[in-house]
Amino acid sequence: MSYIDWIVLIVTLALIVVYGLIKSRTSKNLDGYFLSNREMPWYIVLFSIMGTQASAITFLSAPGQAYTDGMRFVQYYFGLPLAMIVLCVTFVPIFHKKKLYTAYEFLEKRFDLKTRTLTSFLFLLQRGLSTGISIYAPAIILSSLLGWNIYWTNIVMGGVLIIYTVTGGARSVAYTQQLQLAIIFASMFIAGYLVVKYLPEGIGLFDALKVGGAMGKTNVVTTGFKGDGGFDWKDRYNLLSGIIGGFFLALSYFGTDQSQVGRYLTAKSIRESRVGLLMNGLVKVPMQFLILLLGVLVFAFYQFNSAPLFFNKTQVDKVMHSEHAGTLNEIQETYEKADEEKKNLVRSFAANGNFSLSETEKQQLTNINRQRDSLRTSFKKLVEQPGIQGDSNDANYIFLRFVMDYLPRGLVGLLIAVIFIASWGSIAAALNSLSSSTIVDIHKKFINRNMSDKDDYRLSRIYTFIWGVFCIIVAQFAYNIGNSLIEAVNILGSLFYGVILGVFLLAFYFRFVKGNAVFWSAILGEILVVGFFLLNENQIINLSFLWLNAIGALAVVGFAVLIQLLFARKLS
Amino acid sequence: MQEQNDKPPVFKTWGAWYWLVLAFLVLQIVLFIYFTKYFS
């Protein structure tokens, strides 16, 4: 990185920290620290919800996902607007009227202490671990691309935000998320504009999309049905899994994960919470669509220009310094020829001024891209060889590699800053929620019930700091998890979310079901979800992790109703 | 006081907001299907 990039990066990050500290003035009690005195307007709630959900991986992974697999990932969000409606009808009014600090408090009021403690424990376990992985995932990408030390990258990624999160609590988190999103969207918009600008003369956005479309990258809606008419349960992103699986995931995440519930509990009224959530339902899908569109534009750009064999240079260097260097050279040579052929073919289409490619032309381009893909696969196998055992998935490196290689000085620094501040937004909300659940659901229940406002405030800040340190420690050990870090975060969430959602659905919609039935059904449901996960891992069944949310929620509801009906007398 | 705070902006009822969100989702899916077919 150039000096200008370093200056832009440091100034942007410093701006966020200073802004967070300026906005940190709040009353020194739980209401002030965790809920900003319940005074936030809907648009701050909206930015806070969006900033919490959108991590660095959203902006790194989604363009790469579109580049490799097309735009169908957007279907993952189709269930979200439906979940926002259910939240506004049921969850929000109850949470507000009961003046809760955490979602799990409601479960004690409705069921009993053990159900509340179980769900808050599952939340702390899941959120604590996944936040650690969320620090490591972008840190390892930046560390690989820029040659930074992973230890210090983890500390900056997960540590600097602790300054304003500990000082200002939910208020600082919400206001910095607003500024962070403004910087992120402006930078992504400039990057998108430049990708189109860098296309050969006479080639515009529309032509770029036609090139992407000819290669199957504009596949926004897919049905998930196989050639034989059967539904592919293993297929992650299609209309059905997006609407049903995505609905359960979004309902669990926004309705039962304190990192999100804590955001809309800061609203000054039910009305402000509802408008914030509904606006999120309106803007989330178009936002994801545009981020994925950026990936298709980068794909089109690399059709007109030379694309690297593998986007993660560190892995290429590893293979180059191994016994497989000879094989790599052979692959590289054949790849460069195929890549040149592809470039010439696409440019000849451009010279004709017609991107409505005939079937023959499409077939020609498909064949060359298949050859390139097959060579990439051969290289990935080398990366996985014993002695190298590197990361064979370079999807997360595609966008940043483009940024590093082609974007002007200054903008590179700004986009690196985007990765940091996107991470900070979600991590800050996670730390705030981990601290609120620890103090409200655990400390004040089991350790000290009679604390003054001053003690509450002091301890809340200490717990925020402790969780921050814990998540950085998890990040320092995350390399043991393996290559697929983003998948690890998603799967970790899916293992717990469905069960927690089931407990909340019982609380809201099944008045006759009591605490004991819910508690035991939650344990049975968790065993069932883990069972399905293990069966899938051992390839006994084929099931995408997205379905685990629906299975968990429905199993808990089913078990609890059954247990309540069968053992009603014993349970009472 | 709480009821006063809960009045929806723009529309008379929250139901109208929910229908708006739902209709916008359906519209997006229809446009995405068209987008997929047009550029494929």
Side-chain angles (χ1 to χ4, degrees), chain A residues 122-195:
Chain A
L122 289 178
F123 162 72
L124 292 173
L125 181 71
Q126 185 270 124
R127 183 50 57 200
L129 292 175
S130 61
T131 303
I133 301 170
S134 302
I135 293 171
Y136 178 72
I140 186 66
I141 294 167
L142 290 180
S143 157
S144 285
L145 269 176
L146 301 161
W148 292 349
N149 177 297
I150 182 64
Y151 179 83
W152 289 108
T153 314
N154 274 334
I155 288 177
V156 176
M157 189 70 75
V160 177
L161 70 125
I162 293 177
I163 300 168
Y164 66 82
T165 311
V166 167
T167 312
R171 190 176 148 82
S172 285
V173 172
Y175 276 101
T176 46
Q177 282 171 325
Q178 192 188 8
L179 181 62
Q180 286 159 352
L181 279 180
I183 296 171
I184 290 167
F185 288 138
S187 311
M188 296 299 271
F189 181 79
I190 295 169
Y193 169 77
L194 288 178
V195 182

Side-chain angles (χ1 to χ4, degrees), chain A residues 284-503:
Chain A
K284 186 70 190 176
V285 176
M287 180 191 115
Q288 285 300 137
F289 174 82
L290 290 175
I291 297 172
L292 289 162
L293 197 72
L294 181 60
V296 175
L297 294 177
V298 172
F299 174 84
F301 172 86
Y302 277 120
Q303 294 297 298
F304 290 99
N305 297 281
S306 300
L309 170 66
F310 199 69
F311 286 87
N312 183 354
K313 268 183 187 169
T314 311
Q315 304 303 327
V316 179
D317 290 344
K318 264 189 187 175
V319 178
M320 193 53 90
H321 292 97
S322 74
E323 55 183 305
H324 304 288
T327 319
L328 169 60
N329 283 329
E330 282 171 28
I331 293 173
Q332 185 82 47
E333 206 175 303
T334 322
Y335 178 84
E336 277 167 15
K337 275 183 198 161
D339 200 56
E340 193 63 27
E341 203 181 327
K342 165 220 75 183
K343 219 166 64 179
N344 293 335
L345 189 66
V346 178
R347 282 176 183 265
S348 72
F349 294 152
N352 296 338
N354 179 18
F355 269 102
S356 298
L357 306 185
S358 68
E359 282 309 311
T360 323
E361 288 168 330
K362 270 188 196 173
Q363 198 54 51
Q364 272 180 293
L365 199 54
T366 308
N367 287 344
I368 297 175
N369 275 313
R370 270 197 196 138
Q371 193 193 351
R372 290 169 66 238
D373 287 344
S374 135
L375 290 161
R376 272 169 55 79
T377 309
S378 304
F379 174 76
K380 286 177 185 180
K381 282 181 186 159
L382 291 184
V383 175
E384 289 163 0
Q385 289 297 309
I388 300 172
Q389 286 171 322
D391 184 357
S392 62
N393 181 4
D394 65 343
N396 298 324
Y397 292 80
I398 294 171
F399 179 60
L400 265 191
R401 179 75 187 267
F402 167 79
V403 168
M404 301 289 298
D405 290 348
Y406 292 98
L407 294 195
R409 280 183 198 177
L411 198 56
V412 174
L414 188 63
L415 280 153
I416 302 289
V418 161
I419 306 307
F420 277 101
I421 59 180
S423 263
W424 288 4
S426 55
I427 296 164
L431 297 187
N432 186 256
S433 64
L434 285 164
S435 172
S436 67
S437 184
T438 308
I439 196 156
V440 175
D441 298 317
I442 310 289
H443 193 101
K444 282 171 81 75
K445 276 284 153 189
F446 298 102
I447 300 170
N448 187 354
R449 282 172 176 263
N450 303 308
M451 295 200 307
S452 64
D453 277 358
K454 198 179 160 191
D455 288 339
D456 280 345
Y457 177 70
R458 185 181 52 84
L459 211 58
S460 302
R461 289 162 58 126
I462 292 172
Y463 274 128
T464 307
F465 180 79
I466 292 172
W467 274 112
V469 173
F470 172 84
C471 292
I472 293 173
I473 292 170
V474 172
Q476 301 292 15
F477 287 96
Y479 63 87
N480 286 326
I481 294 167
N483 296 330
S484 203
L485 290 157
I486 300 134
E487 204 169 90
V489 173
N490 288 333
I491 292 171
L492 197 65
S494 298
L495 286 176
F496 298 106
Y497 276 153
V499 171
I500 300 177
L501 175 64
V503 174

Side-chain angles (χ1 to χ4, degrees), chain A residues 82 213 220 271 274 282 286, chain B residues 5-7 14 24 28 39:
Chain A
L82 304 174
V220 185
R271 175 186 187 266
R274 277 181 166 155
L282 288 173
Chain B
N5 280 344
D6 196 25
K7 276 190 178 172
W14 284 108
F24 187 58
Q28 285 174 103
F39 286 107

